[in-house]
Amino acid sequence: MKRVIQAILLALFFFVGIPLILGTFLSGADEKEVKNKGENLNKVGVPKTINVWIAEEEKVEKMDFEDYVTGVTASEMPSSFDEEALKAQSVAARTYAMAKVLKYDEKKPDTHPEAPVCNTTHCQAYKSKKRLIELHDDGWEKNGFNKVKKACEATEGELLYYDGEMVMQPLFFSSSGGQTENSEDVFSGAYPYLVSVSSPYEENASHKNEEKSFSFGEIKSLLNNKYPDRAIGQLSSANIKIISRTSGGRVDKMQVGQSSFKGTEIRNALGLSSALFSVGFGNDGKSVTFTSNGFGHGVGLSQYGADGMAKEGNDYKEILTHYYTGTKIY
């Protein structure tokens, strides 16, 4: 009898005691991991309201913060885009606004010191619900605005973080032409989450193979007006050429006459849609054609790329972590 009782107790130890001990140990480890993650995360709280400088009216308007995010998302991205792409845009827009709010006390914007953000592309485009409805066809409020609002509500309060800190440069643009850019190749600062990545699903993107032709005289005049400090001299097909490209494929440096220009400088002076361009010369030998792909600066989230990823089955978090390398959403 004694041996039977010992056998039963031994069996209970193996089948109940050991799993219970292991479970307690592993559970404790999980809780510690979560706690450590929480301690390392500098979580930012989203305010109830935000002040926005309305440029055309030259006044500050105080509005609900999430209503502002909805207005930005609807202004920056077509409502016809996939809902997951709209969600991704809403998180980027919310993070951008919070970055401006957090910087506001340190340095107020020169163009609108009365508010941390404005309603133009100087910050990010914003239109009120009323104005958006006026600009769209009948029925858009139900089929378009409500779709955008639903996407924004699904991400309410969510922001982008990198290494526990909120992302301060959640840049976005229209279309990339297939590859985004390192931030330092376009702007002055390098950010670990703004690195060149592929953007393969942009079949429906606008601004493909756009051609703009200029006479040599027009190129010289436009560059002189924009950058008067650089002498150009006599132009010919021999001294108009691309010198180097960035890792994202855009023009890094270009020779025009006697001077060198950044690809972004050429884009700005000539009004090109993108710095992802090639050059060709006319039969007359006195004109040059720039053929560009993509629209915008090329850093961060490609909006058409986001829509393409969504249509391929990716959710908004997968989209965001692809375009903002190493980030997380909280």
Side-chain angles (χ1 to χ4, degrees), residues 122-178:
H122 172 265
C123 292
Q124 49 186 1
Y126 164 82
K127 293 181 181 66
S128 67
K129 178 182 177 180
K130 179 182 177 182
R131 182 61 181 147
L132 285 164
I133 292 171
E134 289 174 351
L135 292 171
H136 288 84
D137 295 334
D138 291 343
W140 180 81
E141 179 180 2
K142 180 180 179 181
N143 300 320
F145 183 82
N146 288 345
K147 177 184 176 183
V148 175
K149 186 173 179 60
K150 179 184 176 184
C152 294
E153 288 175 344
T155 70
E156 184 174 348
E158 291 184 351
L159 301 166
L160 276 169
Y161 290 83
Y162 180 87
D163 198 21
E165 298 292 332
M166 197 193 81
V167 167
M168 298 301 286
Q169 294 289 342
L171 304 181
F172 52 86
F173 61 98
S174 181
S175 61
S176 74

Side-chain angles (χ1 to χ4, degrees), residues 180-255:
T180 70
E181 285 291 347
N182 297 321
S183 59
E184 65 269 26
D185 289 336
V186 179
F187 304 110
S188 58
Y191 298 88
Y193 48 84
L194 293 178
V195 297
S196 179
V197 298
S198 64
S199 186
Y201 306 116
E202 296 193 17
E203 293 85 356
N204 297 322
S206 58
H207 303 283
K208 289 183 177 180
N209 296 317
E210 282 189 345
E211 293 186 354
K212 294 188 76 171
S213 296
F214 304 86
S215 68
F216 288 171
E218 288 173 331
I219 291 175
K220 186 173 181 178
S221 176
L222 289 167
L223 288 173
N224 279 334
N225 287 338
K226 194 77 172 177
Y227 309 104
D229 59 316
R230 272 170 272 187
I232 293 175
Q234 193 70 26
L235 292 179
S236 70
S237 58
N239 62 19
I240 300 177
K241 57 186 176 181
I242 294 169
I243 301 171
S244 61
R245 291 186 179 273
T246 65
S247 59
R250 286 159 183 77
V251 173
D252 177 29
K253 290 184 180 179
M254 182 173 179
Q255 179 185 347

